[in-house]
Amino acid sequence: MLDVNKVRGGDGLAPISTQVDEILESVFETTRKATTAFFDAYNENPNPKVLATWLETRAWREIDYVFLLNEQIRRYGMRFKRNHITLLAKQSFQEAEHYEDVGRAVESLGGTVPTSVPDSSVPWSSWLWGCMDRHHLAGIAAWYVSETSASGSFEPTFIGAARQGHTEVVKIYKQIEIDEKFHTGLGRQILSTYAKTDEDREEILRAMIGMRDIAWKTFTPEVVAATMRAREGKTAAAV
Amino acid sequence: MRRHCSRDPFIRVVAGHPLQGNTMDASSTFNARVRRLSAVADGVLAIELGHADGGLLPAWDAGAHIDLKLPNGIARQYSLCGELADRETWRIAVLREPNSRGGSAYVHDALRAGDVIPVSGPRNNFALTDANRYLFIAGGIGITPILPMLKEASRHGRPWTLVYGGRTRGSMAFLDEIAGHQDADISIVPQDEFGLIDLDRHLSVPQRGTLIYCCGPGPLIDAVEGASRCWPPASLHRERFAPKLVAEPAAGDSFEVELALSGQVLVVGEDDSLLEVLENAGYQVTNSCRAGICGTCLLKVAAGEPDHRDDLLDDEQRASNAMILPCVSRSKTKRLVLQL
């Protein structure tokens, strides 16, 4: 297995590489644990709607990345080499495919594909967009951590979803896992290529630390349970 | 210091190890005359060469090597270890190999001052790139490419450490020249006096901004690679004494790919992607970025030398010639055999 965090680029991250790697390792592990906890709870009471609710936040991330990457290109693209514009656009296309695929899985489980940011995803989305507004590399730094976080969820997802026979979910996430390597490799390469100043690196670290503290939370069983309770409350109030 | 991006279409072999095939590029081959031979250590002969017609020799950089076509028909490659500024004389040093098949044995037993031999080069696959500091590690005759690097680093005011090991003090060439470096951090480690080089002492703590240059026998290189894994990527530059076949350069930029499991041979044209050629032939290769970033399309190489153009494989993985990312990489040899 090749380590995409060792992708060749510039040396822009060299002064902070230790901190960067610690953040990535941390978010990978916390997300892995959160996902394991979710599937442990799910396997005790395998209600497909629970899994659908859990996947809704995944689906939103995919389409929010599409919006963000295209805005990133529009706003900052001319600061980057042409091949990186192409690769960001390619990533955007793949995220759109993921939104379509995860959306299909959500619907197959009786859920609803989000078309606006779900309540549970607001902190994540706000941080992502806020980072991009601040600095041309901060949005990329934030999604680099978020994508690394998702990587931590794959193995427990494969195991947990397979245990309940959700083969379509496993298949979709196998493809997402492949593309995630590209996305995280690209994130690392862009950051290491274009980070030039201490201010750049400060913004990158700020974005990464903030996302580290947010990214894993929507993977937990508690967030899914709270989302479902809130939804039931809204439904009851409407009746 | 100049930065190099060598694309030499052959595998480097140093210190008189067997070569097979023809590495001589007629366009850059000229006749050199042996001016002087002198013993510089037990079993090590220094040879000074000049241009046979009395003209100036090509300029070279530290780490460069030349190809000699010996009168017995054998071609060998040797690192240049003389003065960079001297355009009239090149110096190489040749260790008598106990299992010599005609290279070092010929040099030691038959080569004489006044002999004229075809030479090509210089070429450099082991160039010294700029760094804040250097750690040079040499084993035995591996001191030869390192020797000019010491002078070059000093000339640019870069601090350096040399760790030089050998079987015995008497077998270690150029100790007198090395001793001439004032204010340098030099460790001379004859094995019969001190045992093997203590690599942990020098490599256990990564030094940011320091590049490691290592040349010597395989076990030393392997040990240095292992001990320096904790260093930042691309810190280690090394040159092996590896009796590898010299690969023929690919004709033009097209090459053949043989699929080991089926025996099928496909042609990859100069404008084709290896991955696309495989896909067009019906092979499904998992991939994502198609830009040499994600590593998903990694394939095993059974034979041939990949021309790595990805951004992911590290130096060791590239040097192994055992893998390739077909989305962007090509072949330096006419034929590449894949485990597919």
Side-chain angles (χ1 to χ4, degrees):
Chain A
M1 186 65 73
L2 300 175
D3 181 0
V4 288
N5 289 324
K6 292 189 173 148
V7 69
R8 291 164 194 260
D11 56 4
L13 291 182
I16 57 171
S17 63
T18 302
Q19 292 148 285
V20 166
D21 290 339
E22 282 171 358
I23 291 165
L24 297 171
E25 285 168 26
S26 164
V27 81
F28 181 97
E29 187 56 22
T30 50
T31 307
R32 188 189 65 78
K33 286 177 179 168
T35 307
T36 301
F38 169 78
F39 276 103
D40 286 348
Y42 177 68
N43 280 314
E44 286 177 18
N45 180 24
N47 176 355
K49 286 216 168 178
V50 171
L51 182 56
T53 304
W54 187 78
L55 286 170
E56 285 170 21
T57 57
R58 313 276 80 74
W60 180 257
R61 285 194 185 194
E62 307 296 355
I63 196 63
D64 217 354
Y65 285 141
V66 175
F67 303 149
L68 184 103
L69 287 161
N70 283 283
E71 182 62 19
Q72 174 88 34
I73 293 167
R74 188 192 72 79
R75 208 182 291 185
Y76 303 120
M78 290 304 134
R79 290 171 174 249
F80 302 144
K81 295 175 193 165
R82 291 195 301 275
N83 72 305
H84 283 139
I85 295 174
T86 304
L87 291 167
L88 286 166
K90 184 167 191 165
Q91 180 183 349
S92 165
F93 174 74
Q94 290 181 344
E95 305 290 12
E97 286 184 318
H98 298 170
Y99 177 63
E100 187 177 0
D101 293 342
V102 176
R104 202 170 55 249
V106 168
E107 287 173 338
S108 74
L109 294 162
T112 304
V113 182
T115 52
S116 61
V117 57
D119 290 347
S120 61
S121 296
V122 168
W124 174 87
S125 184
S126 299
W127 183 258
L128 191 67
W129 283 88
C131 288
M132 197 187 67
D133 288 340
R134 282 176 61 102
H135 188 274
H136 65 288
L137 297 176
I140 292 170
W143 64 245
Y144 178 32
V145 172
S146 182
E147 292 283 71
T148 303
S149 160
S151 301
S153 74
F154 291 141
E155 205 54 41
T157 299
F158 298 147
I159 295 166
R163 192 172 294 163
Q164 296 302 327
H166 300 303
T167 52
E168 186 64 14
V169 173
V170 174
K171 184 177 161 194
I172 287 165
Y173 271 89
K174 286 281 185 187
Q175 181 58 49
I176 291 175
E177 180 190 35
I178 289 167
D179 294 339
E180 220 71 274
K181 289 194 184 79
F182 161 39
H183 304 168
T184 50
L186 178 61
R188 184 77 173 220
Q189 186 173 72
I190 288 179
L191 295 176
S192 59
T193 301
Y194 299 105
K196 302 293 181 196
T197 66
D198 288 342
E199 184 203 348
D200 292 341
R201 286 182 276 273
E202 282 168 20
E203 286 289 341
I204 287 167
L205 279 179
R206 177 188 171 276
M208 294 182 83
I209 290 166
M211 183 54 82
R212 176 198 64 193
D213 297 339
I214 294 168
W216 61 276
K217 290 182 177 172
T218 55
F219 290 85
T220 63
E222 292 80 9
V223 165
V224 173
T227 301
M228 292 184 78
R229 278 198 304 274
R231 200 170 284 165
E232 285 161 9
K234 281 181 186 174
T235 306
V239 173
Chain B
M1 277 177 241
R2 274 194 270 170
R3 288 182 179 274
H4 293 258
C5 182
S6 175
R7 294 282 304 279
D8 268 10
F10 56 83
I11 300 164
R12 179 72 210 282
V13 182
V14 295
H17 280 269
L19 296 181
Q20 294 174 28
N22 177 22
T23 67
M24 308 299 277
D25 176 358
S27 64
S28 63
T29 300
F30 61 93
N31 285 331
R33 188 179 302 279
V34 178
R35 288 184 167 178
R36 187 163 168 254
L37 299 98
S38 54
V40 289
D42 297 344
V44 181
L45 199 61
I47 297 121
E48 291 178 10
L49 302 165
H51 208 298
D53 66 12
L56 292 179
L57 294 162
W60 56 285
D61 293 317
H65 68 276
I66 56 172
D67 296 32
L68 299 190
K69 190 162 187 181
L70 298 168
N72 63 354
I74 290 174
R76 291 288 184 268
Q77 298 180 322
Y78 299 103
S79 296
L80 290 165
C81 59
E83 293 291 336
L84 284 167
D86 187 349
R87 298 285 303 277
E88 294 184 350
T89 307
W90 279 349
R91 183 177 68 172
I92 57 174
V94 180
L95 170 70
R96 179 192 280 278
E97 293 288 338
N99 300 317
S100 172
R101 292 189 295 175
S104 67
Y106 182 91
V107 169
H108 277 257
D109 299 336
L111 199 65
R112 296 287 178 265
D115 286 357
V116 173
I117 48 177
V119 170
S120 71
R123 297 188 179 94
N124 201 337
N125 299 333
F126 191 44
L128 189 67
T129 55
D130 200 9
N132 297 334
R133 184 180 181 87
Y134 298 98
L135 170 58
F136 298 110
I137 303 174
I141 197 65
I143 192 65
T144 50
I146 301 291
L147 206 58
M149 291 183 181
L150 306 180
K151 292 175 183 171
E152 191 70 352
S154 294
R155 192 171 70 84
H156 286 271
R158 303 289 192 269
W160 51 265
T161 295
L162 170 67
V163 185
Y164 178 18
R167 286 179 294 104
T168 63
R169 200 171 286 271
S171 72
M172 298 168 72
F174 306 119
L175 290 178
D176 52 341
E177 292 184 24
I178 291 164
H181 285 280
Q182 301 300 317
D183 305 322
D185 177 18
I186 299 169
S187 297
I188 304 298
V189 191
Q191 194 177 337
D192 63 339
E193 296 175 38
F194 303 108
L196 294 173
I197 294 171
D198 181 1
L199 292 177
D200 279 345
R201 181 184 145 204
H202 298 281
L203 296 172
S204 60
V205 179
Q207 306 292 324
R208 193 167 297 286
T210 297
L211 290 182
I212 308 162
Y213 277 78
C214 176
C215 185
L220 173 66
I221 303 268
D222 292 342
V224 170
E225 285 175 347
S228 64
R229 282 192 212 287
C230 56
W231 283 57
S235 294
L236 174 62
H237 299 246
R238 72 285 210 204
E239 190 157 60
R240 283 180 176 274
F241 295 172
K244 291 179 178 174
L245 297 183
V246 174
E248 290 179 86
D253 202 15
S254 66
F255 61 96
E256 293 175 343
V257 58
E258 180 184 333
L259 309 177
L261 302 184
S262 66
Q264 187 177 5
V265 177
L266 304 167
V267 176
V268 182
E270 60 183 281
D271 295 322
D272 297 335
S273 136
L274 171 55
L275 178 59
E276 285 174 5
V277 167
L278 293 169
E279 287 173 331
N280 292 341
Y283 292 88
Q284 287 192 332
V285 181
T286 306
N287 67 89
S288 182
C289 72
R290 301 175 85 94
I293 288 176
C294 70
T296 306
C297 64
L298 186 76
L299 295 175
K300 289 182 181 173
V301 174
E305 186 184 2
D307 177 6
H308 295 292
R309 300 184 185 187
D310 63 274
D311 286 331
L312 191 56
L313 297 181
D314 63 28
D315 294 344
E316 188 178 349
Q317 289 163 331
R318 289 177 176 215
S320 74
N321 290 332
M323 58 189 79
I324 188 170
L325 295 177
C327 60
V328 290
S329 294
R330 303 181 63 77
S331 177
K332 290 182 179 178
T333 43
K334 282 182 180 175
R335 180 171 289 196
L336 195 68
V337 183
L338 300 178
Q339 292 280 21
L340 197 64

